[in-house]
């Protein structure tokens, strides 16, 4: 009896003032942070901010309409280009104005597309219920679950236990989904087009990707062209490549080929001809399905929560020198609101994007000697890493204009004249863009370097710290790759809607199982906390009723909530 009373006391302590589950603790803190920063976020506006807005616009809308092409086919025309563009623009504008961390870019993601496509298949083929009302209720249920996560400070008792092991796997999964979407788009082209059109589609897809990759390295072309031209080519690499390969099919004999192009609307109305307005009569769904929809709603919540938090964490890492406080709980509550709104409107919901969110921060990065003196950034990444500019520190322009402008420009494309412009885009170009986005996401994943180490002769491998062997590092890398492939394989089965649960399960597996397989020093070398300083295996980490906390750090007020904030 005494033991039960002690357990009850410890449980209730979590809900008292200062406890991890104290209701609204982080929301109050985030609201204060938002009030302190909101006005100053509208006082920074310069050429780099404008360039960033244009850059993010292209890297956001083009992958979005690529997913739209896929969703159009695999959701029975329930969602198409106009729905994806509408959602991306609407959610982007809302977050640009009201979010606590405006560096996080929103859009329709690959993992959610996979989930939605499988949910449509279940609704239409297995259960014979309408897809959009089920999705609407799923997103409404997801909204109140987001609110609960924010109210009870989920960031403090979930994300602080996530390590790079899970985050890197999730990032690699996104890359694989991008490449798979490209392959599926080309497969459909092969099935629907004659051989000559398909062969050009292959050239267009690979060409779009390779030209974009080539131009993205323009900053290293010195002494070719001037510095400004090299930077422009690099920043607008994807846009230039896409515009080039949209125009090529209209030249010479290529104009006679049958080019599959993006399906668009000629008016501002839903893609499905059976719908007249952007509104779902969700209350007409049978009551049993209202409750059944809680299941996909919970899965969407897990996916969005993990995806959005990781996106926010990665775009505010130390590399960018972010100084203003963010607000994870506030943004999760806001995400719940936009998720429910999208469900009622009958459009796919948007959430934090990888790799667009860190690309946004990258495009705003500059270098300062102190807070008042701005100097040009190093032209070469090698110069930065070699310490040639040791007196400079990185900063990003923390403002809301770049986010707002790119979202507003995307919203313009829901109008019929601009939709016709989108309709000029060959689907082969979209497949090439998928390849490029997969490449971008993969190129910044730490797993890539360790994969290359697997192929490196032992004599040429770099020296490791004491107590760490390459055998353990290689085994860790292979495990990550196999787990990612396994999760991706699940997305191709009827169990696909549950794949976010597998990613969440990786967290306790890493903390409770992997330390029994790999040595302490090996794990300290290859892994670390994803959103706070230190490693799970640090000697300074001590256990207790509140979990693992770093000695000497203040966590009572949600203090160390990211590596950079």
């Amino acid at each position: 009896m005494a033991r039960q009373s002690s357990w009850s006391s410890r449980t209730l302590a979590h809900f008292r003032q200062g406890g991890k589950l104290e209701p609204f603790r982080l929301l109050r803190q985030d609201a204060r942070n938002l009030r302190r920063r909101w006005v100053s976020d509208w006082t920074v506006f310069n050429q780099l901010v404008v360039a960033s807005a244009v850059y993010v616009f292209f890297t956001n809308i083009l992958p979005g309409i690529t997913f739209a092409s896929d969703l159009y086919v695999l959701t029975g025309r329930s969602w198409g280009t106009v729905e994806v563009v509408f959602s991306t623009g609407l959610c982007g504008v809302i977050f640009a104005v009201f979010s606590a961390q405006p560096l996080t870019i929103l859009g329709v993601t690959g993992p959610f597309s996979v989930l939605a496509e499988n949910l449509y298949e279940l609704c239409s083929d297995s259960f014979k219920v309408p897809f959009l009302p089920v999705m609407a209720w799923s997103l409404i249920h997801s909204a109140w679950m987001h609110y609960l996560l924010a109210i009870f400070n989920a960031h403090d008792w979930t994300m602080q236990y996530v390590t790079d092991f899970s985050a890197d796997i999730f990032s690699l999964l996104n890359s694989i989904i991008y490449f798979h979407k490209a392959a599926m788009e080309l497969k459909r082209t092969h099935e629907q087009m004659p051989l000559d059109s398909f062969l050009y589609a292959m050239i267009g897809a690979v060409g779009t990707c390779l030209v974009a990759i080539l131009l993205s390295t323009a900053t290293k072309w010195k002494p070719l062209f001037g510095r400004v031209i090299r930077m422009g080519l690099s920043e607008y690499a994807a846009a230039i490549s896409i515009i080039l390969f949209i125009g090529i099919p209209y030249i010479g004999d290529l104009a006679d080929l049958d080019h599959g192009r993006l399906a668009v609307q000629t008016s501002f109305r839903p893609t499905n001809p059976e719908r007249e307005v952007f509104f779902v009569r969700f209350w007409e769904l049978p009551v049993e399905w209202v409750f059944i929809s809680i299941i996909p709603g919970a899965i969407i919540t897990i996916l969005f929560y993990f995806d959005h938090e990781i996106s926010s964490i990665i775009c505010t890492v130390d590399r960018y020198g972010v100084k203003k406080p963010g607000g994870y709980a506030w943004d999760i509550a806001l995400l719940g609101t936009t998720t429910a709104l999208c469900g009622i409107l009958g459009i796919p919901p948007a959430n934090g994007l990888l790799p667009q969110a860190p690309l946004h921060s990258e495009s705003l990065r500059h270098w300062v000697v102190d807070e008042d003196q701005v100097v040009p950034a190093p032209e070469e990444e090698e110069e930065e890493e070699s310490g040639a500019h040791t007196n400079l520190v990185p900063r990003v322009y923390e403002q809301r204009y770049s986010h707002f402008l790119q979202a507003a420009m995307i919203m313009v494309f829901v109008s019929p004249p601009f939709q016709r412009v989108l309709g000029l885009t060959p689907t082969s170009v979209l497949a090439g863009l998928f390849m490029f986005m997969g490449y971008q996401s993969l190129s910044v994943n730490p797993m890539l370097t360790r994969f290359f180490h697997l192929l490196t002769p032992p004599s040429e491998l770099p020296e490791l710290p004491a107590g760490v062997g390459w055998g353990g590092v290689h085994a860790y890398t292979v495990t990550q790759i196999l787990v990612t492939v396994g999760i991706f394989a699940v997305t191709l089965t009827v169990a696909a809607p549950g794949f976010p649960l597998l990613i969440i399960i990786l967290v306790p597996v890493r903390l409770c199982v992997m330390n029994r397989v790999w040595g302490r020093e090996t794990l300290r070398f290859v892994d670390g906390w994803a959103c706070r300083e230190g490693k799970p295996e640090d000697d300074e980490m001590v256990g207790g009723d509140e979990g693992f906390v770093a000695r000497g750090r203040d966590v009572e007020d949600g203090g160390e909530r990211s590596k950079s904030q």
Side-chain angles (χ1 to χ4, degrees), residues 179-498:
F179 289 124
H180 179 256
K181 292 290 186 183
M184 291 298 99
E185 189 64 57
L186 292 173
K187 179 176 180 290
R188 282 195 293 270
T189 301
H190 180 261
E191 294 171 348
Q192 299 170 2
M193 302 291 176
L195 179 61
D196 54 354
S197 296
F198 170 69
L199 292 177
Y200 174 76
M202 291 291 296
I203 295 173
V206 175
T208 301
C209 178
L210 293 182
V211 170
I213 292 174
L214 176 65
L215 293 177
S216 67
T217 65
T219 54
K220 301 179 181 180
W221 291 1
K222 188 176 181 179
L224 188 64
F225 305 125
R227 177 175 178 272
V228 174
I229 294 178
R230 293 197 301 271
M231 290 180 62
L233 291 174
S234 177
E235 290 177 355
Y236 302 112
I240 294 171
S241 180
I242 287 166
I243 292 173
L244 175 65
F245 281 92
I246 287 177
I248 287 178
Y250 293 95
I251 299 175
D253 293 338
L254 291 176
D256 297 328
L257 293 179
D258 184 10
H259 299 285
R261 289 186 169 87
L262 189 67
V264 296
Q265 297 292 103
T266 57
S267 60
F268 180 59
R269 57 167 296 163
T271 300
N272 192 326
E274 298 178 2
R275 297 178 63 200
E276 296 182 355
V277 295
F278 287 102
F279 187 76
V280 177
R281 302 173 68 87
F282 55 90
W283 59 87
E284 295 180 353
L285 190 69
V287 65
E288 63 270 20
W289 279 98
V290 172
F291 290 98
I292 293 174
S293 298
I294 293 177
I295 299 173
I299 295 173
I300 291 170
T301 301
I302 293 171
L303 174 63
F304 276 25
Y305 176 75
F306 191 85
D307 203 351
H308 195 90
E309 292 249 335
I310 291 297
S311 298
S312 299
I313 289 166
I314 294 179
C315 73
T316 55
V317 294
D318 292 341
R319 166 182 175 79
Y320 303 122
V322 173
K323 305 300 281 186
K324 293 183 181 180
Y328 294 103
W330 179 277
D331 285 355
I332 289 300
L334 185 60
L335 182 63
T337 302
T338 58
T339 298
L341 178 61
C342 289
I344 294 171
L345 293 176
I347 59 180
N351 67 295
L353 282 175
L354 291 172
Q356 286 89 335
L359 288 176
H360 183 214
S361 296
E362 190 72 39
S363 65
L364 292 167
R365 190 166 65 141
H366 58 284
W367 300 80
V368 299
V369 174
D370 53 44
E371 294 295 333
D372 299 318
Q373 182 180 1
V374 179
V375 299
E379 283 194 47
E380 304 289 338
E381 191 71 19
E382 290 79 10
E383 292 180 6
E384 174 191 340
E385 294 177 354
S386 66
H389 297 263
T390 54
N391 60 320
L392 304 182
V393 293
R395 292 286 185 268
V396 298
Y397 289 114
E398 299 182 64
Q399 39 68 51
R400 296 177 185 269
Y401 285 108
S402 56
H403 194 161
F404 181 83
L405 289 175
Q406 67 88 24
M409 287 190 287
I410 289 174
M411 278 290 284
V412 169
F413 276 82
V414 301
S415 62
F418 285 92
Q419 284 194 54
R420 291 189 180 93
V421 174
L422 293 179
L424 300 175
T425 308
T427 55
S428 61
V429 171
L430 301 182
L433 182 62
F434 266 137
M435 296 180 192
F436 178 63
M437 299 302 293
Y439 158 79
Q440 282 190 310
S441 178
L442 185 62
S443 65
V444 297
N445 194 320
M447 291 172 62
L448 184 63
T449 300
R450 287 189 273 108
F451 173 75
F452 289 152
H453 285 155
L454 284 169
L455 308 178
T456 303
S459 60
E460 299 183 19
L461 289 170
E463 186 176 350
L464 295 176
V468 181
W470 277 111
V473 173
H474 290 338
Y476 177 89
T477 304
V478 171
T479 299
Q480 281 188 301
I481 295 173
L482 292 177
V483 168
T484 307
V485 171
I487 294 175
F488 174 71
V490 171
T491 68
L492 304 178
T493 69
V494 294

Side-chain angles (χ1 to χ4, degrees), residues 165-166 483 502 504-516:
F165 174 78
S166 302
V483 168
L502 300 179
I504 298 301
I505 291 173
L506 294 178
V507 177
V509 168
R510 161 63 182 92
L511 296 178
C512 302
V513 177
M514 292 180 63
N515 56 3
R516 303 175 185 272

